[in-house]
Amino acid sequence: MGLGAGVTIRVALAGDAMLGRGVGAQIAVAGPQSLFSAEVREFFESADLALLNLECCVSDRGRPWEGPGKRFHFRAPPRAVEALAGLGIDCVTLANNHSLDFGYTALSDTLDHLSGAEISAVGAGVNVEQARTPVLLEAGGLRVAVLGFTDHPAGFAARPDQPGVAYADLGTGVPHWLGDQVQALAASNDVVLVLPHWGPAMTTHPLPYIRSAARAVLDAGATLVAGHSAHAFHGAAGRILYDLGDFIDDYALDPARRNDLSLLFLVTVDNRGPQRVEAVPLKLEYAHTRLADSNERAWIRARFTSACAAFGTEVSEENGLLVIAHPGLEVPLASH
């Protein structure tokens, strides 16, 4: 193992980053550095590692995926990787329902553009073996393994001879390949981060099957589970961040769920697990993300405090950040 419990690192975890459509147009007009405020950048600079879910392909090629029920197609211009590199993103997960929006060619381009910017990618690949392959990082002397998977759509699933994403049908429980892989990674790394893209959009709390899957992944040896997909942040339950919310997009506003208000998570972690979670309140404007103002921060604080309380997790506020000190295990309360 690494240097032991005395070594801690700070990991920045952001949710869904959609860099296509209106965000891509903003990049063309004002450049990739225009997407995030200086204050947001500073929080990323404070981290040893930074990860997010890339909710699009990055390419100028391909054709829209014609699968059933496919309404939205997200494709970012190649320069979009400069926005990620400018934040210091170390790794993205492509295990989601948009990485194949413009087909296999665009997925291949995405992998190439990320590699060219020295950004690792997990959760998708030219075949199922590559899609399930973890990314291995190092920070502060600790070995950090990152694994990504998604529970939708089944049509995007990689196969032995077909590109796609690391797909797990959680409706039938956590598949053996996933549990076995987490267990193996835990045996040879100091920290195992699992990034699932799970559950339906626009929910405000995790469904029971998501909670069950999260516990199974933890029991297999994950250090931290940090999910996304809902486009709205959920509560935290010890070593589980059920949904990180959105990070940047051009989406329509849901006035009740307020998908324009979100959080950037900064997790202090060592080989025993997360020791402290700090959540930075964010405001998502059209193709631009900044820190939330006082009124926006109050709404986020109330929502996050209530969502965490459902899992027995206490939240305090320190210097404008929402803090969970000494995260423990989820308190098994009745399901929503």
Side-chain angles (χ1 to χ4, degrees):
M1 301 298 284
L3 297 181
V7 177
T8 62
I9 58 174
R10 199 180 199 204
V11 181
L13 295 166
D16 299 332
M18 199 289 289
L19 304 178
R21 292 195 319 193
V23 184
Q26 172 68 11
I27 291 173
V29 171
Q33 305 310 310
S34 68
L35 302 185
F36 308 103
S37 72
E39 294 80 8
V40 170
R41 295 178 189 282
E42 288 175 5
F43 278 108
F44 277 92
E45 291 171 0
S46 73
D48 299 293
L49 292 175
L51 306 93
L52 55 72
N53 175 53
L54 184 58
E55 187 88 337
C56 59
C57 58
V58 180
S59 178
D60 52 13
R61 302 193 298 164
R63 298 178 60 183
W65 187 274
E66 296 180 352
K70 190 64 178 165
R71 296 175 55 200
F72 303 109
H73 298 83
F74 300 149
R75 179 175 60 180
R79 288 196 69 195
V81 296
E82 297 177 35
L84 302 177
L87 285 178
I89 299 298
D90 296 283
C91 177
V92 304
T93 177
L94 299 175
N96 58 57
N97 56 313
H98 290 287
S99 59
L100 276 175
D101 275 3
F102 282 78
Y104 303 135
T105 298
L107 173 60
S108 177
D109 288 348
T110 303
L111 294 168
D112 289 343
H113 289 308
L114 290 168
S115 178
E118 298 184 346
I119 298 172
S120 299
V122 70
V126 299
N127 53 41
V128 66
E129 181 180 5
Q130 186 181 62
R132 294 177 180 178
T133 298
V135 163
L136 304 179
L137 305 171
E138 188 278 335
L142 295 181
R143 290 194 290 264
V144 180
V146 183
L147 195 63
F149 71 90
T150 182
D151 71 344
H152 65 284
F156 276 15
R159 294 183 170 83
D161 57 351
Q162 178 176 295
V165 301
Y167 171 75
D169 180 6
L170 299 180
T172 59
V174 171
H176 289 298
W177 70 262
L178 179 56
D180 291 347
Q181 191 168 35
V182 171
Q183 185 176 20
L185 290 172
S188 56
N189 293 274
D190 299 295
V191 175
V192 179
L193 303 177
V194 180
L195 309 179
H197 195 71
W198 52 14
M202 303 313 295
T203 58
T204 57
H205 57 267
L207 298 180
Y209 83 93
I210 296 295
R211 292 181 63 173
S212 296
R215 295 298 307 174
V217 171
L218 282 187
D219 290 344
T223 307
L224 180 72
V225 179
H228 26 72
S229 179
H231 302 303
F233 61 82
H234 291 177
R239 293 186 288 136
I240 307 167
L241 306 176
Y242 279 109
D243 202 292
L244 305 176
D246 282 352
F247 182 52
I248 187 165
D249 57 52
D250 66 352
Y251 300 160
L253 169 63
D254 184 307
R257 295 173 178 83
R258 292 303 303 268
N259 54 306
D260 63 325
L261 298 179
S262 195
L263 292 164
L264 166 66
F265 289 84
L266 300 168
V267 182
T268 300
V269 64
D270 63 15
N271 65 352
R272 298 169 299 174
Q275 303 303 310
R276 178 180 172 90
V277 175
E278 298 171 315
V280 183
L282 301 177
K283 163 65 175 177
L284 277 63
E285 298 174 336
Y286 186 90
H288 180 76
T289 300
R290 60 167 172 82
L291 300 187
D293 64 25
S294 58
N295 290 332
E296 295 157 347
R297 196 164 60 243
W299 189 95
I300 294 170
R301 180 178 64 245
R303 160 84 179 280
F304 189 59
T305 300
S306 174
C308 287
F311 301 112
T313 302
E314 295 185 2
V315 178
S316 62
E317 186 171 8
E318 299 178 19
N319 300 317
L321 304 183
L322 304 177
V323 177
I324 301 170
H326 308 296
L329 295 178
E330 176 183 354
V331 177
L333 302 180
S335 299
H336 290 273

